[in-house]
Amino acid sequence: MGRSSRACSLLGSAQLLLLLLLSLGSAAAQKGSTWKTLSGKAPVIVAKGGFSGLFPDSSDFAYRILGTISSPDTVMWCDVRLTKDGDGICLPSINMDNCTMIDNVFPEGKKTYNVNGVSTVGWFSVDYTSTDLLPNVTLKQSVLSRTPVYDGSMLINSVENVFTSFNASAVWLNVQQDSFYSQFKLSMRNYILSLSKQFITDYISSPEVNFLTSISGRVSKKTKLVFRFLDEGSIEPSTNQTYGSMLKNLTFVKTFASGILVPKSYIWPVTPDNYLLPYTSVVDDAHKAGLEIYAADFANDFTISYNYSFDPLAEYLSFIGNSAFSVDGVLTDFPITPSEAVGCFSNLNNSKIDHAKPLVISHNGASGDYPDCTDQAYEKAVADGADVIDCPVQVTKDGILICMSSVDLMDVTTVGKSSFTSQVTTINDLKAGPGVFTFNLTWDDISKNLQPMISNPMSTYKLYRNPRNKNAGNFMRLSDFLTFAKGKDLSGIMITVEHAAFMAEKLGFGVVDAVVKALDDSGYSKQTAQNVMIQSTNSSVLKKFKQETKYSLVYMIEEGVRDAAPSSLADIKKFANAVSVSTTSVLPQTHYYLTNQTNKLVTSLQSAGLQVYVYVLMNEFASQPNDFFADATSQINAYVQGAKVDGIITDFPGTAHRYKLNSCTSMGNSAPLFMQPPQPGSLLLTMAPDVQPPAAAPMPLLTDADVAEPALPPVSNTTTAASPSHAALRMRTDVSILIALLMLCASLLI
């Protein structure tokens, strides 16, 4: 019986699109590179069940996205299970209910079996023939946190189909629970030996010594046998030893295997709170024993050590590109990222500073690693290679400008746990709901009594940033920021000014004049080494800066827009040199998928002579459309190579700086396909029509009416009920005037 018509229809439509998707095979190693692998060759990338990070493990799509682009470095992985009639199928779990829709086809099929000493309830392949399963049972995503849109659309693959249907350049068969199948008079050994007469299998792995010894010398000499280590405390059934103890006797493993596959934690262990410990000697030990070593458990959308700043590429590089060792291969659900690591990002000189485009502009410093706008966030941003560091200015009760990402201290400090909660007030001009605002407290109140609080924009997804340093660092005044930035290897600084009209009318404070004075006092108005950029969502603010200074001016467009009308471009050109736009204005998305809508905003702005910066990029996979495959580097590449933006504003400047150094950028049209941006909308079309998300409404056009604003109001001299701190600010000004008059009178008397 053939495959279901639904699966065939979906596959047929998608095949034309797969070439538009990213290739997931690795590029060849960089010429002249010396790899610290056992063979000296580039590490192997093993795609677990194909691209199982997005598509159901071992599905047609998961394999075909690899097979469409034949790559000598990418290996297709299949977890082999046996059917009742002794045929092999590829499934990631022995319990079929975890990875298929079998309960819909055989609702009465639930059984309880002993699997390696564990009583296991579910549906098992040993109860069904291949004829029962292959034409009827569809796959589903086995990781519940991943998208279910492909569930039920693709059928189970036979092992033979992996060899014949997907243009596989190399195949890795993983065999587990051999003793389980023997209970049903099925022989995994006999199946593998029979298969080996038809196909050359590049790798066969198993966590069972007896199975590997039983096929050793009986399969092709080209087949590598790999002993798979499970958790250190688990018992290997053949020897009755723990895998942890067997790791100390690799000379024994060498007698029946040419390599070992270990959880990545064997190599880079982590603390209970998920920070890296020093790496172990296991890679060196394996190589000394003449064994290749492969690391498992890589997935871009799983929790990784906080040391990697939510950047999966950084994790891969620590296993293949560090100065001490390199594993011989990695087993991953997301083959694109190790492909980048091997092909474009190994052996980079991360200390190299390059201030060419795209500009890397920090967002509240390196706020992905430290609390916003603290000294540590700025120090990290500079160390990570940011081209521009930023300071969003707010004003305190005593009229001091500070760098603070929110005017509401409740958002970014521990004020909610302090005695200053009595200052809570509601100011609808600034935000909905109550807050404790920077102008409610003096600089001493803030700097001496409060702690910064790290931002966690993805906390809804249980993704929290650097908890050990969630309150680290010191607050910075604008004057402190300017002093810090001077002399650093930066192309410039960016000062963001918001709420200027409110400050003038309600607080009696002229923020534009105060910023200009601070820049004058720090010498920035008399230097050209660092470009001074002023950013605002208010055209009135930028117009006033243009009247008073020669600084570069950046207009931030808050709303999502598809393009800018010629009249609005003409208006912006009158007061700005650059424009900041949201990620979705550049690449529209719906329900975490890029759409096929073509926004011309970047092209229009650049044609008008305006630089374009995109904001805000984050490393957390939950912040990115699925088209970027939970890979921050892929996202950056889409905006730089695809949309051609001039700069990126990011919480993680280190990731963006490293992107600028990659060796594939200079390759032009010869760059590997995995470093080409995705085609917007192509991933949507791999879904059946009934599960596609609803189409997003077209974004509006930016018009001159959106840009035009009245001039900033004059600084008010009257107290208003809207600002409980206004009187204090005016008192400070009145005292200054009184002192000046007294000094004048004294001089006249003398």
Side-chain angles (χ1 to χ4, degrees), residues 291-314:
L291 291 164
E292 292 184 321
I293 179 169
Y294 305 87
D297 303 333
F298 289 93
N300 291 6
D301 58 352
F302 288 176
T303 300
I304 60 177
S305 170
Y306 292 114
N307 299 75
Y308 300 125
S309 301
F310 298 98
D311 180 0
L313 179 55

Side-chain angles (χ1 to χ4, degrees), residues 329-370:
V330 293
L331 176 62
T332 174
D333 293 7
F334 290 84
I336 183 175
T337 310
S339 297
E340 297 164 352
V342 173
C344 304
F345 286 88
S346 59
N347 303 318
L348 296 182
N349 178 10
N350 286 323
S351 63
K352 179 182 177 183
I353 301 298
D354 177 8
H355 293 313
K357 293 180 183 178
L359 279 182
V360 176
I361 304 169
S362 75
H363 180 244
N364 307 319
S367 55
D369 292 301
Y370 290 97

Side-chain angles (χ1 to χ4, degrees), residues 420-442:
F420 296 116
T421 51
S422 60
Q423 300 287 336
V424 168
T425 184
T426 299
I427 303 178
N428 293 326
D429 288 343
L430 296 180
K431 63 173 291 186
V436 178
F437 299 95
T438 59
F439 49 78
N440 295 143
L441 305 181
T442 67

Side-chain angles (χ1 to χ4, degrees), residues 3 17 45 62 80 100 153 181-182 194 202 291 345 354 380 398 451 456 502 504 685 711 720:
R3 294 189 170 263
L17 297 163
I45 296 163
V80 183
T100 74
S153 64
Y181 295 103
S182 65
S194 175
D202 300 271
L291 291 164
F345 286 88
D354 177 8
K380 183 77 162 65
D398 46 347
Q451 288 182 297
N456 286 300
F502 173 87
L685 295 177
T720 71

Side-chain angles (χ1 to χ4, degrees), residues 653-687:
T655 301
H657 168 69
R658 186 191 58 216
Y659 171 81
K660 291 174 64 172
L661 303 179
N662 86 81
S663 60
C664 294
T665 298
S666 60
M667 296 172 68
N669 294 333
S670 299
L673 290 176
F674 58 76
M675 284 299 289
Q676 295 182 14
Q679 297 296 317
S682 61
L683 200 56
L684 275 176
L685 295 177
T686 63
M687 305 176 198

Side-chain angles (χ1 to χ4, degrees), residues 45 85 131 246 269 294 322 384 492 645:
I45 296 163
D85 49 348
T131 305
M246 293 189 69
Y294 305 87
N322 71 72
D384 283 351
V645 300

Side-chain angles (χ1 to χ4, degrees), residues 119-192:
S119 181
T120 306
V121 179
W123 279 257
F124 299 86
S125 60
V126 294
D127 293 323
Y128 308 94
T129 67
S130 57
T131 305
D132 294 330
L133 297 176
L134 295 181
N136 302 308
V137 178
T138 55
L139 297 164
K140 69 179 181 182
Q141 178 56 256
S142 57
V143 178
L144 295 179
S145 59
R146 294 173 179 166
T147 178
V149 297
Y150 301 102
D151 291 0
S153 64
M154 287 168 278
L155 294 159
I156 297 171
N157 272 298
S158 67
V159 176
E160 289 80 0
N161 205 46
V162 174
F163 283 93
T164 60
S165 297
F166 304 116
N167 195 27
S169 58
V171 174
W172 184 313
L173 301 181
N174 182 59
V175 175
Q176 298 192 200
Q177 294 99 18
D178 176 47
S179 59
F180 168 76
Y181 295 103
S182 65
Q183 300 175 46
F184 303 91
K185 298 183 179 179
L186 296 169
S187 173
M188 185 67 78
R189 173 185 179 275
N190 289 346
Y191 172 74
I192 293 296

